[in-house]
Amino acid sequence: GIAGLFLRDFGAARVAALGVEFQDGSVPAFVADMEGDLAGALQHLQTSLAIRQKLVDSAPNRSEWQRALAVSHQWVGNVLLLQGDPAGALKHQQMNMEMSQRLASDDPTNLRLQHDLGISLLKVGEVKSALGDQPGALKAFLAGMDIAQRLAAKDPDNAGWGRTRWLMLWKIAEIEGGGVSWPDVVTAMDGMAR
């Protein structure tokens, strides 16, 4: 099957490397190893995305494969933005967001999927900001903030939810008229330290 082709064509070590992608913004191991080689990173990420698309096509009900595909879109978008292609980045970040919305909607009690949706909104907001669409960026950041606040309220001891909430505040504060001040960001950061 497709998984066998994947293993045969790329080898177990490469499978592990291509699978080390984190929705929370951590750097995949193979990207970190390619410091500065954005073209090489993009090539690996596009290969991963194509493989994951084939896996999803072969078993469309496997939510873990759908999530992995969404993450691949996020990382391709991240690299395209770094390469100066915000329009291409937006396409991938919107795919990530749409897939994350479907997954979160299908399993509303799954906090990880809700967090993924919040991060996907953050990524869309970042790209819209880079494109000069501040109202669109603010809308995405506020929607992500709503999710981050709900998650933090459900599990106040989860440092990841608090960090995401703080990051959303930071992004909103960067937008003039966003309704969040820098002291709000500092207060939230102080609250995380306690």
Side-chain angles (χ1 to χ4, degrees):
I2 291 176
L5 272 170
F6 183 79
L7 287 170
R8 188 189 76 225
D9 291 347
F10 293 96
R14 189 129 180 222
V15 169
L18 288 172
V20 182
E21 300 172 0
F22 300 101
Q23 188 82 6
D24 68 359
S26 302
V27 178
F30 70 92
V31 174
D33 289 343
M34 303 171 79
E35 292 179 29
D37 182 9
L38 292 177
L42 183 61
Q43 181 180 4
H44 283 287
L45 290 166
Q46 287 172 327
T47 299
S48 176
L49 186 134
I51 291 166
R52 288 173 175 189
Q53 182 64 61
K54 288 179 184 176
L55 288 169
V56 168
D57 291 346
S58 73
N61 294 327
R62 303 251 341 234
S63 61
E64 69 274 13
W65 287 356
Q66 292 174 26
R67 182 181 181 274
L69 179 60
V71 171
S72 287
H73 278 290
Q74 178 192 351
W75 277 100
V76 169
N78 290 347
V79 174
L80 287 171
L81 186 60
L82 289 171
Q83 287 184 322
D85 181 5
L90 183 60
K91 174 186 156 206
H92 284 280
Q93 297 301 2
Q94 286 177 321
M95 290 289 297
N96 172 34
M97 183 186 67
E98 290 165 11
M99 297 174 92
S100 295
Q101 281 175 327
R102 266 193 313 274
L103 290 167
S105 193
D106 288 347
D107 191 356
T109 62
N110 185 319
L111 299 184
R112 179 180 179 197
L113 294 177
Q114 301 305 312
H115 185 252
D116 288 353
L117 177 56
I119 294 298
S120 73
L121 288 159
L122 172 76
K123 295 298 181 177
V124 166
E126 288 175 340
V127 176
K128 286 189 175 197
S129 183
L131 287 165
D133 179 3
Q134 298 310 311
L138 181 59
K139 181 179 178 183
F141 293 145
L142 289 171
M145 177 64 154
D146 181 54
I147 293 168
Q149 287 180 322
R150 283 194 318 255
L151 290 172
K154 286 182 182 181
D155 186 2
D157 294 329
N158 186 314
W161 305 159
R163 187 178 74 86
T164 299
R165 182 180 172 278
W166 173 79
L167 188 55
M168 293 294 183
L169 284 169
W170 182 289
K171 293 298 182 177
I172 294 166
E174 289 181 328
I175 297 177
E176 189 174 327
V180 172
S181 68
W182 289 109
D184 295 334
V185 176
V186 172
T187 299
M189 190 168 39
D190 286 345
M192 286 174 33
R194 293 184 187 134

